[in-house]
Amino acid sequence: MKLSFSLIVVLTVVGLVAHMAPASGQTGEGAAPVFVTKILPGYRDWKLISVAHEEGNLNSFSAVLGNDVAIKAYRERKLPFPDGSIIAALHYRFVPSEENNKVFGQPQSFVAGDPTNIQFMVKDSGKYASTGGWGFGHFNQDGSLGGDALLKTCSPCHAKASRDFVFTRYAP
Amino acid sequence: MKLSFSLIVVLTVVGLVAHMAPASGQTGEGAAPVFVTKILPGYRDWKLISVAHEEGNLNSFSAVLGNDVAIKAYRERKLPFPDGSIIAALHYRFVPSEENNKVFGQPQSFVAGDPTNIQFMVKDSGKYASTGGWGFGHFNQDGSLGGDALLKTCSPCHAKASRDFVFTRYAP
């Protein structure tokens, strides 16, 4: 889940760069704009889609939230997701809870530690046509946009998901 | 987290039984009513407080949600929680995601599996005075209320939490 949200939109990016700066000849990675460049307001109030945990280098704890359009589509099992759907993955460190373990009497409890990043998927079948209709964004804890190397991994990975680029299933 | 939500409210229960059936002489466990006996409507639309995972016999994945009163108290760091606060813990099996692992190329991804139970904490400092001002409820997947043996463990365990009977901290 975590690694997969990113911003590669090669064809559209090339087109956009060409439109913005036709004389510059910039077609490399450094000039590539990304589609979701600002943290979307209000995401922390969105409803729960589900939770996830990744081991390994990620060691992440995720809460996946959706705006009303996305939640409605999930609940109605509507695929592909309609334009306007937005999915936010809030990532935290996966850490043991000393307080909980003390109460349980054994090490068994894990909770969300420090936040690490927030990732968005925005459905707009026209704007993001070159990447399955989804725009991707990755924002570091300080609010900065993720680097190109990371952002380029999002779309190709999500393309492998079995349901319209989306890995996360709705938890009832 | 999971084991701790329950319904023991001994003193109040004794009082309530005496009031309801003064001639019956029922004061044992079997006659003990519980405080939160129905699943609270709308909880699935509440906002996210945080996520949690318990290993061991529980093997659970939790999404902890709060109604507006609880979320406001969390965000304002208000303790004790005001009357009207309700916290819901949605529990699922902690299971590997075959689809995600296939994409990652290694077993590292865990998601929410089948739902197992839902637990509530309802703050009403008058009604639930005998248990720290909190009423507890545990509902099995079929919607049935948890048994007395389980329900009796909630309040004593939550009393060990450092912040007004609540273990879960707010994830930013």
Side-chain angles (χ1 to χ4, degrees):
Chain A
M1 190 74 204
K2 278 92 247 163
L3 283 179
S4 50
F5 287 89
S6 56
L7 305 188
I8 186 164
V9 281
V10 177
L11 293 179
T12 309
V13 158
V14 170
L16 185 57
V17 169
H19 175 72
M20 292 172 66
S24 73
Q26 291 183 345
T27 55
E29 295 179 8
V34 290
F35 274 175
V36 182
T37 57
K38 290 187 179 175
I39 291 176
L40 298 167
Y43 72 89
R44 190 56 185 77
D45 288 338
W46 294 350
K47 291 167 186 166
L48 177 77
I49 297 170
S50 192
V51 294
H53 165 53
E54 299 296 337
E55 291 183 340
N57 291 335
L58 288 169
N59 187 38
S60 67
F61 220 151
S62 314
V64 184
L65 310 181
N67 71 350
D68 287 342
V69 179
I71 291 290
K72 185 170 185 288
Y74 264 114
R75 290 177 178 175
E76 295 176 356
R77 301 172 184 275
K78 188 175 183 179
L79 285 174
F81 284 86
D83 281 4
S85 299
I86 310 179
I87 298 171
L90 285 58
H91 296 138
Y92 307 90
R93 303 302 295 171
F94 184 79
V95 300
S97 167
E98 291 186 14
E99 176 176 17
N100 295 5
N101 288 338
K102 192 175 176 182
V103 172
F104 277 118
Q106 59 183 356
Q108 71 166 58
S109 183
F110 295 86
V111 296
D114 290 337
T116 54
N117 63 74
I118 301 169
Q119 297 176 324
F120 293 99
M121 289 179 69
V122 179
K123 188 68 177 279
D124 184 327
S125 55
K127 186 174 182 182
Y128 307 120
S130 64
T131 49
W134 289 99
F136 297 85
H138 171 109
F139 299 91
N140 301 310
Q141 179 50 24
D142 63 2
S144 63
L145 187 64
D148 282 356
L150 172 62
L151 298 174
K152 285 185 175 180
T153 66
C154 299
S155 174
C157 187
H158 275 269
K160 299 175 185 173
S162 59
R163 287 153 297 115
D164 189 22
F165 282 67
V166 175
F167 287 104
T168 304
R169 303 190 178 209
Y170 184 80
Chain B
M1 190 75 206
K2 276 94 252 155
L3 284 178
S4 49
F5 287 89
S6 60
L7 305 187
I8 189 165
V9 283
V10 176
L11 293 178
T12 310
V13 160
V14 170
L16 185 58
V17 169
H19 175 72
M20 293 172 64
S24 73
Q26 291 183 345
T27 56
E29 294 180 6
V34 290
F35 273 175
V36 182
T37 58
K38 291 187 178 175
I39 291 177
L40 298 167
Y43 72 87
R44 189 58 183 75
D45 289 338
W46 294 350
K47 291 167 186 166
L48 176 78
I49 297 170
S50 192
V51 293
H53 165 53
E54 298 296 337
E55 290 182 342
N57 291 335
L58 287 170
N59 187 38
S60 67
F61 220 151
S62 315
V64 184
L65 310 181
N67 70 351
D68 286 343
V69 179
I71 291 289
K72 186 170 186 287
Y74 265 114
R75 291 177 177 174
E76 295 176 353
R77 301 173 184 275
K78 188 175 181 179
L79 285 174
F81 283 86
D83 282 4
S85 300
I86 310 179
I87 298 170
L90 285 57
H91 295 138
Y92 307 89
R93 302 303 294 171
F94 184 80
V95 300
S97 166
E98 292 186 14
E99 178 177 14
N100 295 4
N101 287 339
K102 192 174 175 183
V103 173
F104 277 119
Q106 59 183 358
Q108 70 166 58
S109 182
F110 295 87
V111 296
D114 290 338
T116 54
N117 64 74
I118 301 169
Q119 298 176 322
F120 292 99
M121 292 180 66
V122 179
K123 188 67 179 280
D124 184 328
S125 55
K127 186 175 182 181
Y128 306 120
S130 65
T131 48
W134 289 99
F136 296 86
H138 172 109
F139 300 90
N140 302 311
Q141 178 50 24
D142 63 2
S144 64
L145 188 64
D148 283 358
L150 172 62
L151 298 173
K152 285 185 174 181
T153 65
C154 299
S155 173
C157 187
H158 274 270
K160 298 175 185 173
S162 59
R163 286 153 298 115
D164 190 23
F165 282 67
V166 175
F167 287 105
T168 304
R169 303 190 179 209
Y170 184 81

